[in-house]
Amino acid sequence: MEENLNKHSDISAADLERLSKEAQDEATPSSSKIIWSEFKADKPAMVALILVVTFILFVMIASLFINTPKMMETDIMNYNATPGSNGFLLGADTGGRPILQQLIVGARNSIGIAIGLTLISSTFGICWGLISGYFNGYIDWGMQRVYDFMMMLPMTMMIIVLVTIIKSYNAVTLTFIFSIFYWEGTSRLIRSRTLSESEKDYVAASKTSGTGSFKIIFREIMPNISSLIIVDTTLSFAENIGVETGLSYLGFGLPIQTPSLGTLIANANDPNNITQYWWTWLPAALLIIILCLSISYIGQVVRRAADASQRHGISD
Amino acid sequence: MSLIEINDLKVHYPIRSGFWNRITYSVKAVDGISFNIEAGETYGLVGESGSGKSTTGKSVVGLEKITSGSIMYKGKDITKKSNRKELDYNHDVQMIFQDSLSSLNPRKRIEDIIAEPLRNFEKLDANEEKLRVLQLLDIVGLDADALYKYPHQFSGGQRQRIGVARAVATNPKLIIADEPVSALDLSVQAQVLNFMKKIQREFGISYLFISHDLGVVRHMCNNIAIMNRGRLVEIGTRDDIYNHPLHIYTKRLLAAIPETNVNHRQEHREQRLEVEKIYQEQQDKYYDKDGKAYPLVQISPTHSVALPEDLVEKIKHEGEVKA
């Protein structure tokens, strides 16, 4: 083949460097560049990105300086202290515990759980959907029956039961418990797209080029459904913040000594708190709204970057 | 010995229905066809949509699960996956797809697309590989700056040439060209076809050229098989098929070639209507009671046609009279 090619093409090894440099100059920008230019073209998304990144960094670092057990000690003297009094910037709750510090540690816990849960459940769900959709036949059948069984289980009740059975649980075990139940929606969504995607010619071309099944699944098909994956992951991240929060609100999430956004919002269970002591729950509620909105903004930008026809920034 | 021998190939798709989801019926996409492809030739496979020609092509390249029959290559039946693996079959047999856009992965750069078969079948270092890709691009008439671009940045003709470059990357012995130009406009068709011919001359590749465009097939192929309803109705050289068609379906296909000579428009129209009328009247004679074509009968060393016994006798007799 090599001789054959050398005979019929004017290009020889000597030209390699020059030609690859020429090609480099003409190259289509890389995906990280495209994403960045997309953020620059969309100001609200840029603000959202800066907001989310600085907030997460701040929360992660600041919570290291807070002594949580000490902070969570009840202090009757500061019962529902108003914001600004006695050095409580955002006031204190009925236990006299500072809201600001609780917010910082709570946000770290909630976001940490949401990130962990999204990573685990999305990765698993994506793999499950891709493999099930690509192989079809008996493998698909078996995998979908497992899925059906998992869907049949009442999720919230199962989580509550598991949380009650397991004696000592913390943020990490809670993340794993959630992960058992939150991969399903993703997997069905990904499977349906994989079914149609694996019928396309480029998959057939890869097969005839001798590429193995798993390489086709993860290197050929997955990049092509990346916009779907990104949208689903960002949406489920926003949703997963709510999952932990919701359960903590009901009292089955994190243990009482561990603050989270959910336990803070649970302050709103008391009618007195809603009307008079608004500072006990409002900051956490606002924080969740802002976080979820910002994340979905960021998700939209990344989705646009992944799809050339929707871009606002540089095109190629 | 032929490069590829296809014997009694059948591809049936089961249709499941009912409460128990049992196989109640099967679509016979390909129903018992046999032909051989010689080294270095272009073999044309012609037929209307749904006649099973693409399914045949996909079976030969190993993408389709066949129901029965065999495809022999180097003395081995490559319908078995283990044999394909053992022979590195796809190193020698590649495919050019009809839709150039969907056959190139939209998320991969041209370099990665063309290098894909090289990476799987030949172990080259990064520089050799890049050089090979550049040479392939040069052969199909594309510049080096295509290297790091994406498929959607090219025109249809350029994309199809990229598809050709990928197919010839491992220097295969046979390329299945599944309607390679039917999605392109006429001027670009000629361009791509000429590239394919040039590559054939230079690399000694055989093509299985699947098309419904008889004009293109005439330009490309030495031997032609006409396919209808999953079976072959006529096999012959270019001369046999174009000048001495025997099966009514072949005649009908030939009559459908558009004629550009305006002066004889009326005559052509009448001739077409005549052929169509004969087809409607005599259809039953040329197909058996299930509507399938008859088995092929040899008329001359190169020419076979699917006709019932009595018609064959008649044709042979007429041939003798003429001679």
Side-chain angles (χ1 to χ4, degrees), chain A residues 1 5-6 9 11 202 206 211 220 223-224 226 306, chain B residues 90 102 105 107-108 116 120 132 135 138 153 171:
Chain A
M1 182 66 189
L5 273 175
N6 287 335
S9 168
I11 296 175
Y202 70 83
S206 280
T211 309
E220 307 274 329
N224 276 292
S226 58
Chain B
N90 284 120
S102 84
N105 189 338
R107 290 301 161 87
K108 278 165 80 179
E116 193 181 354
N120 288 320
R132 193 71 86 77
Q135 287 176 333
D138 182 45
Q153 293 168 285
N171 199 14

mmCIF file with all atom_site columns, all heavy atoms in Angstrom, chain A residues 1 5-6 9 11 202 206 211 220 223-224 226 306, chain B residues 90 102 105 107-108 116 120 132 135 138 153 171:
data_model
loop_
_atom_site.group_PDB
_atom_site.id
_atom_site.type_symbol
_atom_site.label_atom_id
_atom_site.label_alt_id
_atom_site.label_comp_id
_atom_site.label_asym_id
_atom_site.label_entity_id
_atom_site.label_seq_id
_atom_site.pdbx_PDB_ins_code
_atom_site.Cartn_x
_atom_site.Cartn_y
_atom_site.Cartn_z
_atom_site.occupancy
_atom_site.B_iso_or_equiv
_atom_site.pdbx_formal_charge
_atom_site.auth_seq_id
_atom_site.auth_comp_id
_atom_site.auth_asym_id
_atom_site.auth_atom_id
_atom_site.pdbx_PDB_model_num
ATOM 1   N N   . MET A 1 1   ? 0.837   -1.209 0.000  1.00 0.00 ? 1   MET A N   1
ATOM 2   C CA  . MET A 1 1   ? 0.000   0.000  0.000  1.00 0.00 ? 1   MET A CA  1
ATOM 3   C C   . MET A 1 1   ? 0.867   1.253  0.000  1.00 0.00 ? 1   MET A C   1
ATOM 4   O O   . MET A 1 1   ? 0.616   2.189  -0.747 1.00 0.00 ? 1   MET A O   1
ATOM 5   C CB  . MET A 1 1   ? -0.886  -0.007 1.247  1.00 0.00 ? 1   MET A CB  1
ATOM 6   C CG  . MET A 1 1   ? -1.826  1.193  1.319  1.00 0.00 ? 1   MET A CG  1
ATOM 7   S SD  . MET A 1 1   ? -3.043  1.168  0.001  1.00 0.00 ? 1   MET A SD  1
ATOM 8   C CE  . MET A 1 1   ? -3.785  2.778  0.196  1.00 0.00 ? 1   MET A CE  1
ATOM 9   N N   . LEU A 1 5   ? 0.754   4.194  -2.691 1.00 0.00 ? 5   LEU A N   1
ATOM 10  C CA  . LEU A 1 5   ? 0.373   5.576  -2.400 1.00 0.00 ? 5   LEU A CA  1
ATOM 11  C C   . LEU A 1 5   ? 1.454   6.536  -2.833 1.00 0.00 ? 5   LEU A C   1
ATOM 12  O O   . LEU A 1 5   ? 1.180   7.569  -3.421 1.00 0.00 ? 5   LEU A O   1
ATOM 13  C CB  . LEU A 1 5   ? 0.103   5.736  -0.909 1.00 0.00 ? 5   LEU A CB  1
ATOM 14  C CG  . LEU A 1 5   ? -1.310  5.411  -0.454 1.00 0.00 ? 5   LEU A CG  1
ATOM 15  C CD1 . LEU A 1 5   ? -1.393  5.485  1.042  1.00 0.00 ? 5   LEU A CD1 1
ATOM 16  C CD2 . LEU A 1 5   ? -2.292  6.389  -1.077 1.00 0.00 ? 5   LEU A CD2 1
ATOM 17  N N   . ASN A 1 6   ? 2.694   6.179  -2.536 1.00 0.00 ? 6   ASN A N   1
ATOM 18  C CA  . ASN A 1 6   ? 3.794   7.077  -2.899 1.00 0.00 ? 6   ASN A CA  1
ATOM 19  C C   . ASN A 1 6   ? 3.843   7.294  -4.404 1.00 0.00 ? 6   ASN A C   1
ATOM 20  O O   . ASN A 1 6   ? 4.188   8.367  -4.878 1.00 0.00 ? 6   ASN A O   1
ATOM 21  C CB  . ASN A 1 6   ? 5.121   6.522  -2.409 1.00 0.00 ? 6   ASN A CB  1
ATOM 22  C CG  . ASN A 1 6   ? 5.247   6.647  -0.906 1.00 0.00 ? 6   ASN A CG  1
ATOM 23  O OD1 . ASN A 1 6   ? 4.608   7.504  -0.313 1.00 0.00 ? 6   ASN A OD1 1
ATOM 24  N ND2 . ASN A 1 6   ? 6.039   5.794  -0.297 1.00 0.00 ? 6   ASN A ND2 1
ATOM 25  N N   . SER A 1 9   ? 0.640   9.653  -5.328 1.00 0.00 ? 9   SER A N   1
ATOM 26  C CA  . SER A 1 9   ? 0.437   10.942 -4.688 1.00 0.00 ? 9   SER A CA  1
ATOM 27  C C   . SER A 1 9   ? 1.765   11.693 -4.698 1.00 0.00 ? 9   SER A C   1
ATOM 28  O O   . SER A 1 9   ? 2.826   11.109 -4.522 1.00 0.00 ? 9   SER A O   1
ATOM 29  C CB  . SER A 1 9   ? -0.039  10.729 -3.256 1.00 0.00 ? 9   SER A CB  1
ATOM 30  O OG  . SER A 1 9   ? 0.042   11.939 -2.580 1.00 0.00 ? 9   SER A OG  1
ATOM 31  N N   . ILE A 1 11  ? 2.601   13.794 -2.561 1.00 0.00 ? 11  ILE A N   1
ATOM 32  C CA  . ILE A 1 11  ? 2.994   14.121 -1.192 1.00 0.00 ? 11  ILE A CA  1
ATOM 33  C C   . ILE A 1 11  ? 3.942   13.063 -0.666 1.00 0.00 ? 11  ILE A C   1
ATOM 34  O O   . ILE A 1 11  ? 3.696   11.864 -0.759 1.00 0.00 ? 11  ILE A O   1
ATOM 35  C CB  . ILE A 1 11  ? 1.744   14.207 -0.293 1.00 0.00 ? 11  ILE A CB  1
ATOM 36  C CG1 . ILE A 1 11  ? 0.863   15.348 -0.776 1.00 0.00 ? 11  ILE A CG1 1
ATOM 37  C CG2 . ILE A 1 11  ? 2.139   14.413 1.150  1.00 0.00 ? 11  ILE A CG2 1
ATOM 38  C CD1 . ILE A 1 11  ? -0.446  15.452 -0.055 1.00 0.00 ? 11  ILE A CD1 1
ATOM 39  N N   . TYR A 1 202 ? -22.828 6.082  9.892  1.00 0.00 ? 202 TYR A N   1
ATOM 40  C CA  . TYR A 1 202 ? -21.463 6.207  10.391 1.00 0.00 ? 202 TYR A CA  1
ATOM 41  C C   . TYR A 1 202 ? -21.118 5.089  11.373 1.00 0.00 ? 202 TYR A C   1
ATOM 42  O O   . TYR A 1 202 ? -19.964 4.712  11.508 1.00 0.00 ? 202 TYR A O   1
ATOM 43  C CB  . TYR A 1 202 ? -21.204 7.591  11.001 1.00 0.00 ? 202 TYR A CB  1
ATOM 44  C CG  . TYR A 1 202 ? -21.901 7.876  12.306 1.00 0.00 ? 202 TYR A CG  1
ATOM 45  C CD1 . TYR A 1 202 ? -21.366 7.438  13.508 1.00 0.00 ? 202 TYR A CD1 1
ATOM 46  C CD2 . TYR A 1 202 ? -23.085 8.601  12.343 1.00 0.00 ? 202 TYR A CD2 1
ATOM 47  C CE1 . TYR A 1 202 ? -21.994 7.705  14.701 1.00 0.00 ? 202 TYR A CE1 1
ATOM 48  C CE2 . TYR A 1 202 ? -23.723 8.871  13.524 1.00 0.00 ? 202 TYR A CE2 1
ATOM 49  C CZ  . TYR A 1 202 ? -23.164 8.428  14.700 1.00 0.00 ? 202 TYR A CZ  1
ATOM 50  O OH  . TYR A 1 202 ? -23.791 8.684  15.884 1.00 0.00 ? 202 TYR A OH  1
ATOM 51  N N   . SER A 1 206 ? -18.090 2.524  10.883 1.00 0.00 ? 206 SER A N   1
ATOM 52  C CA  . SER A 1 206 ? -17.120 2.175  11.919 1.00 0.00 ? 206 SER A CA  1
ATOM 53  C C   . SER A 1 206 ? -17.002 0.670  12.068 1.00 0.00 ? 206 SER A C   1
ATOM 54  O O   . SER A 1 206 ? -15.924 0.139  12.278 1.00 0.00 ? 206 SER A O   1
ATOM 55  C CB  . SER A 1 206 ? -17.540 2.766  13.269 1.00 0.00 ? 206 SER A CB  1
ATOM 56  O OG  . SER A 1 206 ? -17.195 4.110  13.315 1.00 0.00 ? 206 SER A OG  1
ATOM 57  N N   . THR A 1 211 ? -13.785 -1.277 14.007 1.00 0.00 ? 211 THR A N   1
ATOM 58  C CA  . THR A 1 211 ? -13.801 -0.754 15.367 1.00 0.00 ? 211 THR A CA  1
ATOM 59  C C   . THR A 1 211 ? -14.681 -1.634 16.260 1.00 0.00 ? 211 THR A C   1
ATOM 60  O O   . THR A 1 211 ? -15.739 -2.076 15.835 1.00 0.00 ? 211 THR A O   1
ATOM 61  C CB  . THR A 1 211 ? -14.342 0.688  15.360 1.00 0.00 ? 211 THR A CB  1
ATOM 62  O OG1 . THR A 1 211 ? -13.612 1.429  14.388 1.00 0.00 ? 211 THR A OG1 1
ATOM 63  C CG2 . THR A 1 211 ? -14.183 1.342  16.709 1.00 0.00 ? 211 THR A CG2 1
ATOM 64  N N   . GLU A 1 220 ? -18.017 6.894  19.395 1.00 0.00 ? 220 GLU A N   1
ATOM 65  C CA  . GLU A 1 220 ? -18.727 7.326  18.195 1.00 0.00 ? 220 GLU A CA  1
ATOM 66  C C   . GLU A 1 220 ? -20.141 7.804  18.535 1.00 0.00 ? 220 GLU A C   1
ATOM 67  O O   . GLU A 1 220 ? -20.534 8.900  18.173 1.00 0.00 ? 220 GLU A O   1
ATOM 68  C CB  . GLU A 1 220 ? -18.829 6.161  17.187 1.00 0.00 ? 220 GLU A CB  1
ATOM 69  C CG  . GLU A 1 220 ? -17.509 5.505  16.854 1.00 0.00 ? 220 GLU A CG  1
ATOM 70  C CD  . GLU A 1 220 ? -16.790 6.217  15.730 1.00 0.00 ? 220 GLU A CD  1
ATOM 71  O OE1 . GLU A 1 220 ? -17.458 6.783  14.871 1.00 0.00 ? 220 GLU A OE1 1
ATOM 72  O OE2 . GLU A 1 220 ? -15.548 6.210  15.740 1.00 0.00 ? 220 GLU A OE2 1
ATOM 73  N N   . PRO A 1 223 ? -20.425 10.845 21.734 1.00 0.00 ? 223 PRO A N   1
ATOM 74  C CA  . PRO A 1 223 ? -20.241 12.256 21.363 1.00 0.00 ? 223 PRO A CA  1
ATOM 75  C C   . PRO A 1 223 ? -21.403 12.809 20.551 1.00 0.00 ? 223 PRO A C   1
ATOM 76  O O   . PRO A 1 223 ? -21.688 14.002 20.610 1.00 0.00 ? 223 PRO A O   1
ATOM 77  C CB  . PRO A 1 223 ? -18.961 12.232 20.509 1.00 0.00 ? 223 PRO A CB  1
ATOM 78  C CG  . PRO A 1 223 ? -18.245 11.020 20.924 1.00 0.00 ? 223 PRO A CG  1
ATOM 79  C CD  . PRO A 1 223 ? -19.292 10.016 21.286 1.00 0.00 ? 223 PRO A CD  1
ATOM 80  N N   . ASN A 1 224 ? -22.070 11.958 19.815 1.00 0.00 ? 224 ASN A N   1
ATOM 81  C CA  . ASN A 1 224 ? -23.165 12.435 18.983 1.00 0.00 ? 224 ASN A CA  1
ATOM 82  C C   . ASN A 1 224 ? -24.451 12.685 19.747 1.00 0.00 ? 224 ASN A C   1
ATOM 83  O O   . ASN A 1 224 ? -25.349 13.341 19.229 1.00 0.00 ? 224 ASN A O   1
ATOM 84  C CB  . ASN A 1 224 ? -23.419 11.456 17.844 1.00 0.00 ? 224 ASN A CB  1
ATOM 85  C CG  . ASN A 1 224 ? -22.500 11.722 16.698 1.00 0.00 ? 224 ASN A CG  1
ATOM 86  O OD1 . ASN A 1 224 ? -22.603 12.732 16.030 1.00 0.00 ? 224 ASN A OD1 1
ATOM 87  N ND2 . ASN A 1 224 ? -21.553 10.831 16.494 1.00 0.00 ? 224 ASN A ND2 1
ATOM 88  N N   . SER A 1 226 ? -24.141 13.966 22.791 1.00 0.00 ? 226 SER A N   1
ATOM 89  C CA  . SER A 1 226 ? -23.629 14.742 23.921 1.00 0.00 ? 226 SER A CA  1
ATOM 90  C C   . SER A 1 226 ? -24.553 15.898 24.289 1.00 0.00 ? 226 SER A C   1
ATOM 91  O O   . SER A 1 226 ? -24.684 16.214 25.472 1.00 0.00 ? 226 SER A O   1
ATOM 92  C CB  . SER A 1 226 ? -22.228 15.262 23.624 1.00 0.00 ? 226 SER A CB  1
ATOM 93  O OG  . SER A 1 226 ? -22.257 16.038 22.464 1.00 0.00 ? 226 SER A OG  1
ATOM 94  N N   . ALA A 1 306 ? -22.428 22.585 21.764 1.00 0.00 ? 306 ALA A N   1
ATOM 95  C CA  . ALA A 1 306 ? -22.296 21.228 21.225 1.00 0.00 ? 306 ALA A CA  1
ATOM 96  C C   . ALA A 1 306 ? -23.021 21.068 19.900 1.00 0.00 ? 306 ALA A C   1
ATOM 97  O O   . ALA A 1 306 ? -22.827 20.107 19.190 1.00 0.00 ? 306 ALA A O   1
ATOM 98  C CB  . ALA A 1 306 ? -22.839 20.216 22.241 1.00 0.00 ? 306 ALA A CB  1
ATOM 99  N N   . ASN B 2 90  ? -12.488 -7.101 6.811  1.00 0.00 ? 90  ASN B N   1
ATOM 100 C CA  . ASN B 2 90  ? -12.773 -5.725 6.420  1.00 0.00 ? 90  ASN B CA  1
ATOM 101 C C   . ASN B 2 90  ? -11.521 -4.920 6.054  1.00 0.00 ? 90  ASN B C   1
ATOM 102 O O   . ASN B 2 90  ? -11.616 -3.796 5.582  1.00 0.00 ? 90  ASN B O   1
ATOM 103 C CB  . ASN B 2 90  ? -13.579 -5.006 7.505  1.00 0.00 ? 90  ASN B CB  1
ATOM 104 C CG  . ASN B 2 90  ? -15.029 -5.451 7.491  1.00 0.00 ? 90  ASN B CG  1
ATOM 105 O OD1 . ASN B 2 90  ? -15.540 -5.979 8.478  1.00 0.00 ? 90  ASN B OD1 1
ATOM 106 N ND2 . ASN B 2 90  ? -15.687 -5.275 6.353  1.00 0.00 ? 90  ASN B ND2 1
ATOM 107 N N   . SER B 2 102 ? -24.370 11.225 6.525  1.00 0.00 ? 102 SER B N   1
ATOM 108 C CA  . SER B 2 102 ? -24.622 10.379 7.690  1.00 0.00 ? 102 SER B CA  1
ATOM 109 C C   . SER B 2 102 ? -23.585 9.274  7.828  1.00 0.00 ? 102 SER B C   1
ATOM 110 O O   . SER B 2 102 ? -23.488 8.652  8.870  1.00 0.00 ? 102 SER B O   1
ATOM 111 C CB  . SER B 2 102 ? -26.034 9.800  7.638  1.00 0.00 ? 102 SER B CB  1
ATOM 112 O OG  . SER B 2 102 ? -26.063 8.648  6.851  1.00 0.00 ? 102 SER B OG  1
ATOM 113 N N   . ASN B 2 105 ? -18.983 10.442 10.719 1.00 0.00 ? 105 ASN B N   1
ATOM 114 C CA  . ASN B 2 105 ? -19.366 10.842 12.068 1.00 0.00 ? 105 ASN B CA  1
ATOM 115 C C   . ASN B 2 105 ? -19.223 12.352 12.228 1.00 0.00 ? 105 ASN B C   1
ATOM 116 O O   . ASN B 2 105 ? -18.131 12.893 12.107 1.00 0.00 ? 105 ASN B O   1
ATOM 117 C CB  . ASN B 2 105 ? -18.468 10.114 13.075 1.00 0.00 ? 105 ASN B CB  1
ATOM 118 C CG  . ASN B 2 105 ? -18.932 10.296 14.487 1.00 0.00 ? 105 ASN B CG  1
ATOM 119 O OD1 . ASN B 2 105 ? -19.640 11.255 14.791 1.00 0.00 ? 105 ASN B OD1 1
ATOM 120 N ND2 . ASN B 2 105 ? -18.559 9.380  15.352 1.00 0.00 ? 105 ASN B ND2 1
ATOM 121 N N   . ARG B 2 107 ? -19.058 14.294 14.615 1.00 0.00 ? 107 ARG B N   1
ATOM 122 C CA  . ARG B 2 107 ? -18.242 14.777 15.730 1.00 0.00 ? 107 ARG B CA  1
ATOM 123 C C   . ARG B 2 107 ? -16.763 14.478 15.566 1.00 0.00 ? 107 ARG B C   1
ATOM 124 O O   . ARG B 2 107 ? -15.977 14.691 16.487 1.00 0.00 ? 107 ARG B O   1
ATOM 125 C CB  . ARG B 2 107 ? -18.728 14.152 17.044 1.00 0.00 ? 107 ARG B CB  1
ATOM 126 C CG  . ARG B 2 107 ? -20.051 14.676 17.476 1.00 0.00 ? 107 ARG B CG  1
ATOM 127 C CD  . ARG B 2 107 ? -19.945 16.169 17.646 1.00 0.00 ? 107 ARG B CD  1
ATOM 128 N NE  . ARG B 2 107 ? -21.254 16.790 17.627 1.00 0.00 ? 107 ARG B NE  1
ATOM 129 C CZ  . ARG B 2 107 ? -22.000 16.926 18.711 1.00 0.00 ? 107 ARG B CZ  1
ATOM 130 N NH1 . ARG B 2 107 ? -21.561 16.512 19.852 1.00 0.00 ? 107 ARG B NH1 1
ATOM 131 N NH2 . ARG B 2 107 ? -23.175 17.491 18.627 1.00 0.00 ? 107 ARG B NH2 1
ATOM 132 N N   . LYS B 2 108 ? -16.388 13.903 14.437 1.00 0.00 ? 108 LYS B N   1
ATOM 133 C CA  . LYS B 2 108 ? -14.976 13.565 14.272 1.00 0.00 ? 108 LYS B CA  1
ATOM 134 C C   . LYS B 2 108 ? -14.348 14.398 13.167 1.00 0.00 ? 108 LYS B C   1
ATOM 135 O O   . LYS B 2 108 ? -15.001 14.723 12.182 1.00 0.00 ? 108 LYS B O   1
ATOM 136 C CB  . LYS B 2 108 ? -14.836 12.076 13.942 1.00 0.00 ? 108 LYS B CB  1
ATOM 137 C CG  . LYS B 2 108 ? -14.897 11.210 15.194 1.00 0.00 ? 108 LYS B CG  1
ATOM 138 C CD  . LYS B 2 108 ? -15.112 9.776  14.841 1.00 0.00 ? 108 LYS B CD  1
ATOM 139 C CE  . LYS B 2 108 ? -13.826 9.105  14.412 1.00 0.00 ? 108 LYS B CE  1
ATOM 140 N NZ  . LYS B 2 108 ? -14.080 7.696  14.094 1.00 0.00 ? 108 LYS B NZ  1
ATOM 141 N N   . GLU B 2 116 ? -9.425  5.946  10.735 1.00 0.00 ? 116 GLU B N   1
ATOM 142 C CA  . GLU B 2 116 ? -10.062 4.901  11.556 1.00 0.00 ? 116 GLU B CA  1
ATOM 143 C C   . GLU B 2 116 ? -9.719  3.477  11.120 1.00 0.00 ? 116 GLU B C   1
ATOM 144 O O   . GLU B 2 116 ? -9.276  2.675  11.941 1.00 0.00 ? 116 GLU B O   1
ATOM 145 C CB  . GLU B 2 116 ? -11.576 5.106  11.589 1.00 0.00 ? 116 GLU B CB  1
ATOM 146 C CG  . GLU B 2 116 ? -12.246 4.264  12.651 1.00 0.00 ? 116 GLU B CG  1
ATOM 147 C CD  . GLU B 2 116 ? -13.753 4.452  12.681 1.00 0.00 ? 116 GLU B CD  1
ATOM 148 O OE1 . GLU B 2 116 ? -14.275 5.306  11.959 1.00 0.00 ? 116 GLU B OE1 1
ATOM 149 O OE2 . GLU B 2 116 ? -14.392 3.708  13.440 1.00 0.00 ? 116 GLU B OE2 1
ATOM 150 N N   . ASN B 2 120 ? -7.229  0.553  13.089 1.00 0.00 ? 120 ASN B N   1
ATOM 151 C CA  . ASN B 2 120 ? -7.686  -0.769 13.494 1.00 0.00 ? 120 ASN B CA  1
ATOM 152 C C   . ASN B 2 120 ? -6.932  -1.902 12.811 1.00 0.00 ? 120 ASN B C   1
ATOM 153 O O   . ASN B 2 120 ? -6.773  -2.970 13.380 1.00 0.00 ? 120 ASN B O   1
ATOM 154 C CB  . ASN B 2 120 ? -9.180  -0.912 13.199 1.00 0.00 ? 120 ASN B CB  1
ATOM 155 C CG  . ASN B 2 120 ? -10.013 -0.086 14.138 1.00 0.00 ? 120 ASN B CG  1
ATOM 156 O OD1 . ASN B 2 120 ? -9.711  -0.014 15.315 1.00 0.00 ? 120 ASN B OD1 1
ATOM 157 N ND2 . ASN B 2 120 ? -11.033 0.551  13.617 1.00 0.00 ? 120 ASN B ND2 1
ATOM 158 N N   . ARG B 2 132 ? -0.085  9.178  5.537  1.00 0.00 ? 132 ARG B N   1
ATOM 159 C CA  . ARG B 2 132 ? -0.991  8.331  4.776  1.00 0.00 ? 132 ARG B CA  1
ATOM 160 C C   . ARG B 2 132 ? -2.316  9.059  4.524  1.00 0.00 ? 132 ARG B C   1
ATOM 161 O O   . ARG B 2 132 ? -2.832  9.061  3.399  1.00 0.00 ? 132 ARG B O   1
ATOM 162 C CB  . ARG B 2 132 ? -1.197  7.038  5.564  1.00 0.00 ? 132 ARG B CB  1
ATOM 163 C CG  . ARG B 2 132 ? -1.861  5.906  4.829  1.00 0.00 ? 132 ARG B CG  1
ATOM 164 C CD  . ARG B 2 132 ? -0.968  5.290  3.777  1.00 0.00 ? 132 ARG B CD  1
ATOM 165 N NE  . ARG B 2 132 ? -0.101  4.271  4.281  1.00 0.00 ? 132 ARG B NE  1
ATOM 166 C CZ  . ARG B 2 132 ? -0.486  3.029  4.577  1.00 0.00 ? 132 ARG B CZ  1
ATOM 167 N NH1 . ARG B 2 132 ? -1.740  2.695  4.453  1.00 0.00 ? 132 ARG B NH1 1
ATOM 168 N NH2 . ARG B 2 132 ? 0.372   2.147  4.989  1.00 0.00 ? 132 ARG B NH2 1
ATOM 169 N N   . GLN B 2 135 ? -1.853  11.742 1.946  1.00 0.00 ? 135 GLN B N   1
ATOM 170 C CA  . GLN B 2 135 ? -1.741  11.188 0.595  1.00 0.00 ? 135 GLN B CA  1
ATOM 171 C C   . GLN B 2 135 ? -3.105  10.769 0.062  1.00 0.00 ? 135 GLN B C   1
ATOM 172 O O   . GLN B 2 135 ? -3.443  11.020 -1.094 1.00 0.00 ? 135 GLN B O   1
ATOM 173 C CB  . GLN B 2 135 ? -0.783  9.988  0.605  1.00 0.00 ? 135 GLN B CB  1
ATOM 174 C CG  . GLN B 2 135 ? 0.665   10.410 0.766  1.00 0.00 ? 135 GLN B CG  1
ATOM 175 C CD  . GLN B 2 135 ? 1.599   9.236  0.875  1.00 0.00 ? 135 GLN B CD  1
ATOM 176 O OE1 . GLN B 2 135 ? 1.193   8.162  1.322  1.00 0.00 ? 135 GLN B OE1 1
ATOM 177 N NE2 . GLN B 2 135 ? 2.846   9.433  0.495  1.00 0.00 ? 135 GLN B NE2 1
ATOM 178 N N   . ASP B 2 138 ? -4.967  13.722 -0.959 1.00 0.00 ? 138 ASP B N   1
ATOM 179 C CA  . ASP B 2 138 ? -4.416  14.219 -2.217 1.00 0.00 ? 138 ASP B CA  1
ATOM 180 C C   . ASP B 2 138 ? -4.961  13.410 -3.397 1.00 0.00 ? 138 ASP B C   1
ATOM 181 O O   . ASP B 2 138 ? -5.336  13.963 -4.430 1.00 0.00 ? 138 ASP B O   1
ATOM 182 C CB  . ASP B 2 138 ? -2.888  14.126 -2.164 1.00 0.00 ? 138 ASP B CB  1
ATOM 183 C CG  . ASP B 2 138 ? -2.265  14.676 -3.426 1.00 0.00 ? 138 ASP B CG  1
ATOM 184 O OD1 . ASP B 2 138 ? -2.708  15.746 -3.868 1.00 0.00 ? 138 ASP B OD1 1
ATOM 185 O OD2 . ASP B 2 138 ? -1.348  14.031 -3.974 1.00 0.00 ? 138 ASP B OD2 1
ATOM 186 N N   . GLN B 2 153 ? -18.515 20.762 7.090  1.00 0.00 ? 153 GLN B N   1
ATOM 187 C CA  . GLN B 2 153 ? -17.913 21.919 6.434  1.00 0.00 ? 153 GLN B CA  1
ATOM 188 C C   . GLN B 2 153 ? -17.615 21.657 4.963  1.00 0.00 ? 153 GLN B C   1
ATOM 189 O O   . GLN B 2 153 ? -17.051 22.505 4.284  1.00 0.00 ? 153 GLN B O   1
ATOM 190 C CB  . GLN B 2 153 ? -16.631 22.308 7.159  1.00 0.00 ? 153 GLN B CB  1
ATOM 191 C CG  . GLN B 2 153 ? -16.898 22.828 8.556  1.00 0.00 ? 153 GLN B CG  1
ATOM 192 C CD  . GLN B 2 153 ? -15.628 22.945 9.361  1.00 0.00 ? 153 GLN B CD  1
ATOM 193 O OE1 . GLN B 2 153 ? -15.070 21.966 9.814  1.00 0.00 ? 153 GLN B OE1 1
ATOM 194 N NE2 . GLN B 2 153 ? -15.153 24.158 9.532  1.00 0.00 ? 153 GLN B NE2 1
ATOM 195 N N   . ASN B 2 171 ? -6.175  -0.129 1.387  1.00 0.00 ? 171 ASN B N   1
ATOM 196 C CA  . ASN B 2 171 ? -5.953  -0.777 0.101  1.00 0.00 ? 171 ASN B CA  1
ATOM 197 C C   . ASN B 2 171 ? -6.740  -2.085 -0.013 1.00 0.00 ? 171 ASN B C   1
ATOM 198 O O   . ASN B 2 171 ? -6.162  -3.164 -0.150 1.00 0.00 ? 171 ASN B O   1
ATOM 199 C CB  . ASN B 2 171 ? -4.470  -1.053 -0.114 1.00 0.00 ? 171 ASN B CB  1
ATOM 200 C CG  . ASN B 2 171 ? -4.164  -1.273 -1.586 1.00 0.00 ? 171 ASN B CG  1
ATOM 201 O OD1 . ASN B 2 171 ? -4.994  -0.975 -2.440 1.00 0.00 ? 171 ASN B OD1 1
ATOM 202 N ND2 . ASN B 2 171 ? -2.994  -1.811 -1.875 1.00 0.00 ? 171 ASN B ND2 1
#
